[in-house]
Amino acid sequence: MSAPAIAADLTGTTAVVTGASDGIGAVTARELARAGARVVLAVRNEAKARAVSASWTGRTEVRRLDLSSLASVRAFADGWDGPIDVLVNNAGVLQADTTPTQDGFEPHIGVNHLGHFALTQLLLRYVTGRVVTVSSDLHKRGRLDVDDLNWERRTPRGLQPYNDSKLANLLFTFELQRRLESSGSAVLSLAAHPGVSSTNLAVGSGGLLGRVMRPFISLVGQDVDGGARPTLHAATRPLAGGSYVGPGGPFELRGAPRLVTGSRQSRDPQLARDLWSRSADLTATEALPSSPVSTDPAGVPA
């Protein structure tokens, strides 16, 4: 399967894609560049990103960004100048290793959520169009404890830290949209998930996890180009803020992109505000004022 060409002409726009040296991030960056955007690959492995993008059509550049280090996130933001039409928070980890990040965070919440939270806060003054954050359908199994984000009181088991980080991605997306609207900003916050896709994030997982996931993905999943389609849809199509895009096939495993619905927990505005406050404290970043208290249980636009 090949990722469909983007219908819009993106000439004159700028996109930043994190984790763009491999997998869904690489396909997303490739297709945005093919459509005419200037695409910045924000990556930890610069040599790999340059090699991957060498054969692409369009204008690309590579800049270092290690989301496991707040110092690296700040350095990336400090080096930025100019508008960003699309910021794609794509990078992520799925690993058995529980070694803390450079800032002492549990690696899944540290990289998948806190790193992107800080990056978005620091770059938001440059964003003119939209922020797209890549989550996962596994967010539905999240059991996020805002008071124990770093698993200091609990024992991590299986995929739970990853699931929690993906729930955090959606809570962040929807709360960001509420705060943008409250501040009068026209910038949009959206989310996407790839379904089951054959990326190194999944099949590259070590040990028992990797051995279990490989045959499952080969049976029910789609290739990496197919997995990137929801992200590209969220990044380029006319959608309302707070939209969540995933595959349209059975159980959201694969298929053409469509609007999907996050779990009730992901749409809990109080949990989102609590997570935002905790994340702002941990990362020492805060770009937007509090969102208004909502009586809508979904907490996001219809």
Side-chain angles (χ1 to χ4, degrees):
M1 181 187 298
S2 295
I6 297 172
D9 180 2
L10 302 182
T11 301
T13 66
T14 296
V16 175
V17 183
T18 70
S21 63
D22 198 0
I24 289 168
V27 174
T28 300
R30 183 193 73 199
E31 294 302 310
L32 292 172
R34 182 183 292 177
R38 166 202 175 210
V39 181
V40 176
L41 287 70
V43 298
R44 184 170 54 180
N45 189 331
E46 296 172 89
K48 183 177 180 181
R50 291 191 181 94
V52 165
S53 61
S55 62
W56 295 353
T57 300
R59 182 183 174 190
T60 62
E61 61 184 89
V62 175
R63 297 195 186 188
R64 177 166 172 76
L65 173 66
D66 182 354
L67 288 161
S68 70
S69 164
L70 290 178
S72 178
V73 172
R74 291 184 181 279
F76 182 94
D78 287 345
W80 190 268
D81 185 25
I84 300 172
D85 297 272
V86 183
L87 169 62
V88 182
N89 292 325
N90 161 83
V93 296
L94 171 57
Q95 60 193 46
D97 183 8
T98 58
T99 302
T101 70
Q102 295 180 36
D103 301 285
F105 303 142
E106 188 281 324
H108 297 90
I109 202 73
V111 172
N112 299 354
H113 169 62
L114 291 171
H116 281 125
F117 178 91
L119 180 70
T120 303
Q121 302 308 301
L122 295 170
L123 291 181
L124 198 55
R125 62 190 175 122
Y126 299 109
V127 178
T128 60
R130 62 184 69 185
V131 178
V132 178
T133 301
V134 179
S135 182
S136 165
D137 201 43
L138 286 173
H139 84 272
K140 294 174 181 175
R141 297 180 178 272
R143 301 290 183 269
L144 192 69
D145 184 343
V146 173
D147 295 323
D148 190 26
L149 288 181
N150 289 310
W151 293 82
E152 295 166 326
R153 299 195 304 265
R154 299 168 294 159
T155 300
R157 290 185 173 87
L159 290 174
Q160 199 59 55
Y162 176 79
N163 300 345
D164 285 6
S165 73
K166 294 290 102 179
L167 174 58
N169 287 154
L170 277 189
L171 287 163
F172 165 67
T173 294
F174 299 148
E175 178 64 7
L176 176 59
Q177 180 60 34
R178 284 186 287 265
R179 290 178 182 240
L180 288 165
E181 289 182 358
S182 179
S183 68
S185 173
V187 173
L188 304 179
S189 174
L190 307 94
H193 84 82
V196 176
S197 179
S198 180
T199 69
N200 282 343
L201 179 66
V203 301
S205 302
L208 178 61
L209 177 60
R211 292 196 297 272
V212 169
M213 293 185 74
R214 288 186 197 101
F216 174 73
I217 291 171
S218 65
L219 180 65
V220 303
Q222 57 191 346
D223 65 16
V224 66
D225 282 12
R229 289 195 293 171
T231 302
L232 290 167
H233 191 94
T236 63
R237 297 297 180 90
L239 296 169
S243 293
Y244 181 32
V245 182
F251 306 106
E252 298 176 25
L253 297 176
R254 59 187 298 160
R258 66 174 175 85
L259 294 180
V260 295
T261 303
S263 68
R264 186 175 183 85
Q265 190 178 23
S266 76
R267 295 175 289 121
D268 180 340
Q270 185 58 58
L271 180 59
R273 282 192 292 272
D274 291 345
L275 175 64
W276 186 287
S277 178
R278 181 64 175 148
S279 301
D281 287 344
L282 288 171
T283 62
T285 57
E286 180 72 273
L288 289 168
S290 298
S291 62
V293 176
S294 172
T295 56
D296 174 11
V300 293

